[in-house]
Amino acid sequence: MDIRILRYFLAVAQEENITRAAESLHISQPSLSKQIMELEDELGKKLLIRGKRKITLTEEGILLRERAEDIVALVDKTEREISSDCGTVSGEIVIGGTIPKTLLQAAANIQKRYPDVTFQFFSGDATDVTERLDHGNLDFAVLLQPIDNSKYEYIPLPDGSLWGVLMRFDSEYAKFSEIRKEQLIKMPLILHRRIGLQQIIADWAETDIDKLNVTATYNVIHGSPASFVENGIGYFLATRDMLSPALDNSVVFRPLYPKLEVQYNLVWKRRNIFSKGSKAFLDIVRELLK
């Protein structure tokens, strides 16, 4: 598969229209249509559903778009790293996951020292982040324990946060300053879909995962999760750093007791070949931790 054709396909997927995609690519519409049809022939699958008003993707098209985005991003990243000035520290550093204060401070420090270094932060759950890290689209990831030592190297970060429950201010449990095991088991819970995190909660509560009353799961929450609680779906189990410092008046956060703390780790692939910028960033993180 030609990288150029993948770029063409992504343009069509984004514009949802062959004519607009051709204009954005500065090529003729017939030529673009021919290239996409040849791609479908090469793969032996229909990628596009050509409607009267817009183009939509088939299931195979959706899969190709996800893979093509990763492939094109990796090619672009590699080209930038190779073509950069060998004598300068520059380029883009891509980090996935929840970015704690230590790494934000390291990012600020490296930009003061090396102004040509830029950052891209990717938001996603652990599955999305580790997949991109494995494919080389991320330089680093921020993950919770346990870390697979056979695949990754990592540095434990001093940043942590407490697990707790976000609930309506008029909930029967809001009068308590902390939430105990016997109370949590009774609650209809909204919690992270990652089995490893569910197991941590179950172990803390000294019960089995299937005995938790899970009414809904999430992977990444954009914006405040308060609306989930306000509308009565359940009690939102999360770490305090996931929530804004100032909560809505309609909700309250109560930490778990005994305390259950989450610890972040900066993770990268074993035997990874770092760019100058990524190596400098890692050095600065280690300086901060000293």
Side-chain angles (χ1 to χ4, degrees):
M1 253 184 292
D2 191 325
I3 188 69
R4 176 176 56 88
I5 305 302
L6 290 182
R7 294 185 193 276
Y8 288 176
F9 170 76
L10 288 175
V12 173
Q14 180 177 352
E15 297 291 345
E16 298 181 336
N17 182 281
I18 289 283
T19 301
R20 288 198 301 269
E23 290 173 353
S24 69
L25 294 166
H26 305 290
I27 63 176
S28 69
Q29 185 268 335
S31 175
L32 179 57
S33 295
K34 181 182 177 183
Q35 301 272 15
I36 297 300
M37 285 189 288
E38 287 178 353
L39 176 61
E40 290 179 316
D41 290 341
E42 179 184 348
L43 296 175
K45 296 289 184 179
K46 188 176 181 180
L47 303 173
L48 306 177
I49 301 172
R50 295 162 174 83
K52 292 182 179 180
R53 295 187 176 180
K54 72 174 186 177
I55 287 174
T56 55
L57 300 180
T58 63
E59 289 186 13
E60 291 79 10
I62 293 171
L63 175 61
L64 179 60
R65 180 185 62 189
E66 293 175 355
R67 295 292 183 262
E69 286 174 344
D70 288 345
I71 292 168
V72 169
L74 183 57
V75 169
D76 289 344
K77 185 173 182 292
T78 304
E79 288 177 348
R80 287 194 300 269
E81 290 175 354
I82 291 175
S83 62
S84 63
D85 188 340
C86 295
T88 62
V89 177
S90 61
E92 183 179 67
I93 300 171
V94 189
I95 308 175
T98 301
I99 312 301
K101 290 182 179 179
T102 298
L103 297 188
L104 292 175
Q105 185 179 351
N109 289 356
I110 196 173
Q111 286 183 323
K112 290 176 184 176
R113 196 177 301 180
Y114 307 110
D116 292 331
V117 172
T118 60
F119 286 87
Q120 179 188 150
F121 299 111
F122 172 78
S123 179
D125 67 5
T127 301
D128 297 331
V129 168
T130 51
E131 182 177 334
R132 287 177 178 264
L133 185 64
D134 291 342
H135 291 166
N137 296 106
L138 298 178
D139 298 299
F140 302 99
V142 180
L143 299 173
L144 306 178
Q145 292 278 16
I147 308 296
D148 186 347
N149 292 319
S150 66
K151 293 175 63 178
Y152 308 113
E153 294 186 63
Y154 68 96
I155 298 175
L157 299 173
D159 311 85
S161 186
L162 292 176
W163 280 97
V165 182
L166 185 70
M167 65 187 73
R168 289 169 55 115
F169 78 99
D170 56 357
S171 162
E172 61 179 301
Y173 298 105
K175 62 184 179 183
F176 299 103
S177 60
E178 299 158 326
I179 299 300
R180 298 174 181 268
K181 302 173 183 180
E182 59 272 15
Q183 295 170 322
L184 188 80
I185 293 173
K186 298 176 183 178
M187 294 177 177
L189 296 174
I190 306 168
L191 48 77
H192 201 285
R193 71 175 184 180
R194 185 180 170 194
I195 295 298
L197 293 181
Q198 293 182 16
Q199 188 62 59
I200 288 173
I201 299 301
D203 290 345
W204 174 87
E206 298 179 332
T207 189
D208 297 326
I209 292 179
D210 57 6
K211 291 184 179 179
L212 296 174
N213 183 14
V214 180
T215 58
T217 61
Y218 64 90
N219 59 339
V220 178
I221 295 294
H222 297 287
S224 172
S227 58
F228 290 84
V229 175
E230 292 166 344
N231 287 286
I233 297 177
Y235 291 77
F236 199 96
L237 190 64
T239 55
R240 185 61 183 86
D241 63 324
M242 282 186 60
L243 311 174
S244 61
L247 297 176
D248 297 342
N249 293 331
S250 59
V251 297
V252 295
F253 180 82
R254 297 291 182 256
L256 301 182
Y257 183 83
K259 291 181 180 180
L260 181 60
E261 189 169 8
V262 60
Q263 195 73 39
Y264 293 111
N265 301 270
L266 180 65
V267 181
W268 63 94
K269 287 172 63 176
R270 281 195 175 275
R271 297 176 293 277
N272 190 38
I273 300 175
F274 285 121
S275 66
K276 283 186 171 63
S278 296
K279 185 177 184 305
F281 176 73
L282 190 57
D283 290 342
I284 285 180
V285 170
R286 285 174 168 146
E287 287 177 15
L288 285 173
L289 296 182
K290 289 180 181 178

